[in-house]
Amino acid sequence: MKSPSHARPLAWPFLAWPTVALAGVAAPTLAMLMLVDAPAPAPLALVGGPILAVGLMGVGMIGAAAAGRLWIGVLLAVLTGAGLIVLARALGMPTLPHPFSTGLAVIIASFSFAARGALFARSAGDRGWWIAVFVVAGEAAMLLTASALPGALPDWLLVLLPAQWASTAIQTALTGTGTRAASSALLALAGTAAATLLVARLWPRRWPYLVMFTTWLGLSALVWHRPGPPMPRADLAIVAAPAGPIAPIAFAPPDAATASALARIRRQLEKWPAAGEADVTQRARNLLLIAAVADLYDTEPLQSHLPLLVAAELKARLPADQRAAILAGIAADPAAGSVAARETLAELGLPANVGDETPVRNRMGLYAARLAGR
C-alpha cells in the first residue's frame, strides 16, 4: 500500500493547482479588472488591502497544504503578491507610497498563511488542502463582506481573522502611514505563524494546540486594543460646506506612529518639486493637495494632523502679505489651476491620486477656506 506522501503528488497537479490559481490569482485579478472603470479616484489603492490579502491567503495556504511544504506556500504567495501589485500599477494604481512597508506586510502575511497550510498538510495528509480551501473561502467571504458593507460584521469577529490582519497591514502601507500604524496586525500575523508551526512540528501531540489557540486569542485582543487605521473611503459627493468629518483638523498631539510619519513628510517636502513651484498660487494649491488627498481617502489618524503641517508650510513658503488672498482665491474657485501634483504625493510617503479631479479640488477648496485665517 502506498503511503500518503506518495499519493499527494497525484492530487497536487490535477486538483490543487487549479484551486490555487482560482483563489490566489484569478479571483483578485478579476476584481481588479472590474474596478478599472469604477467611478472613484484610484479605486485599486482604496481596496488593495482586501484584494491582496485574499490572493496571498489563497495561494499561500492552499499551496503549502497541497505541496506539504511551508517554503512552497511562502514563495508562491510572495510571487502572487508581487504580481498583483504589478498588475494594479499597470491598471492605474498610483506609485506605492511605502514600498518597504508593503513588502514587509506581504512577506509576513505570506509566511502566516503558509504556516496554516503546512499544519493542515501535517495533520490531515492528502485532505489538508481541502481544509485549506474551505478556510480560505470562509475568511475571504467575511473579509470581502466587511470591505463592501462596512458595519455588516461585528468588530469582535473581524479582529479574530488573520485575513483581516493582513488586509489592515497591506492597506495601511498603500494609503496610510506605513508599518508602525499596523504594528499590531503584523505582530498578530507573525505570532500566530510561529505558534502554528510549533503545532505542526510537534504533531501528533495535541497539547501544542492549546498554545496556538491561546496565542491567537491573545494577539486578537492586541489587535482589538490597538487597531490599525480604518479602511479608506473616497467620498465623491461635492460637499457644500466644511462640516462634520470633512476637512478635519486635529487638536490633540499625534501618537508616536503619526508623529514619525509627519516628520518624514517634512523632510521629503524639502525635495518635492511641487513645494517650490515658482507661481505662488500654484505652490499653495500643491501644498493644499497634501491635506486634501489624505482627507479624501480618510487616512486617519494622519489626515487630521496634515492640515497643521500644511498650514506651517503655507506660512513659510508664501509671502505673508499675499497668503490670505491666495487662499481665499483658491477657496472661491477650486476649479482653477492644476492639481497634477496629486500624482506625485507618493514622493512624500502619501497616497497619490488619479482619475476624476472634482473630489480632490473640492477638498482643496475646503482646506483653503479653513486655513485662510491661520
Side-chain angles (χ1 to χ4, degrees):
M1 179 181 294
K2 292 184 178 180
S3 67
S5 62
H6 290 108
R8 181 176 293 125
L10 294 177
W12 163 254
F14 295 109
L15 294 176
W17 175 248
T19 305
V20 171
L22 180 63
V25 181
T29 298
L30 180 61
M32 289 184 180
L33 293 174
M34 292 174 64
L35 286 168
V36 170
D37 296 322
L44 295 180
L46 298 177
V47 295
I51 289 176
L52 284 170
V54 170
L56 298 177
M57 180 172 58
V59 169
M61 195 183 303
I62 299 173
R69 296 290 186 273
L70 171 70
W71 69 268
I72 290 180
V74 174
L75 179 61
L76 288 175
V78 170
L79 291 176
T80 296
L84 291 175
I85 290 173
V86 170
L87 175 62
R89 291 282 293 115
L91 294 176
M93 187 178 78
T95 304
L96 296 177
H98 305 286
F100 175 79
S101 296
T102 305
L104 183 65
V106 167
I107 291 171
I108 293 178
S110 298
F111 178 69
S112 186
F113 292 135
R116 294 166 69 188
L119 175 59
F120 295 149
R122 181 79 168 170
S123 60
D126 294 337
R127 297 186 301 277
W129 74 272
W130 280 106
I131 297 175
V133 168
F134 287 115
V135 171
V136 168
E139 288 200 35
M142 287 189 280
L143 183 64
L144 297 178
T145 298
S147 177
L149 302 171
L153 299 177
D155 291 341
W156 65 263
L157 176 61
L158 294 176
V159 299
L160 295 171
L161 299 180
Q164 176 67 16
W165 304 342
S167 175
T168 298
I170 295 171
Q171 191 63 63
T172 302
L174 293 177
T175 55
T177 59
T179 302
R180 291 185 63 183
S183 58
S184 59
L186 292 173
L187 286 173
L189 287 167
T192 51
T196 301
L197 290 178
L198 175 66
V199 176
R201 182 178 180 82
L202 297 178
W203 177 264
R205 298 172 186 169
R206 300 303 176 92
W207 66 264
Y209 275 104
L210 179 61
V211 175
M212 183 180 73
F213 286 118
T214 301
T215 301
W216 171 50
L217 292 175
L219 291 172
S220 296
L222 173 66
V223 175
W224 175 268
H225 288 289
R226 293 180 54 190
M231 281 290 293
R233 64 174 186 268
D235 182 5
L236 299 184
I238 298 178
V239 182
I246 305 302
I249 298 179
F251 294 99
D255 57 31
T258 305
S260 176
L262 291 169
R264 182 180 62 245
I265 293 168
R266 289 190 188 96
R267 292 193 300 270
Q268 296 302 107
L269 266 169
E270 299 303 319
K271 300 180 291 184
W272 192 42
E277 174 68 42
D279 183 286
V280 291
T281 302
Q282 185 58 51
R283 187 188 310 165
R285 291 191 189 94
N286 297 342
L287 292 169
L288 289 167
L289 288 171
I290 295 172
V293 172
D295 183 26
L296 182 69
Y297 290 165
D298 196 21
T299 55
E300 286 290 19
L302 184 63
Q303 74 176 84
S304 296
H305 293 275
L306 282 174
L308 299 177
L309 181 152
V310 171
E313 293 296 327
L314 289 169
K315 184 176 181 180
R317 296 174 183 270
L318 297 182
D321 58 341
Q322 300 179 39
R323 185 169 60 249
I326 290 172
L327 294 176
I330 295 173
D333 187 15
S338 170
V339 292
R342 63 185 176 141
E343 299 180 16
T344 67
L345 287 171
E347 297 176 18
L348 304 179
L350 294 170
N353 177 259
V354 296
D356 184 10
E357 295 183 355
T358 302
V360 74
R361 285 186 179 277
N362 175 59
R363 298 298 170 93
M364 181 182 68
L366 292 176
Y367 277 106
R370 295 207 66 179
L371 297 180
R374 286 179 175 261

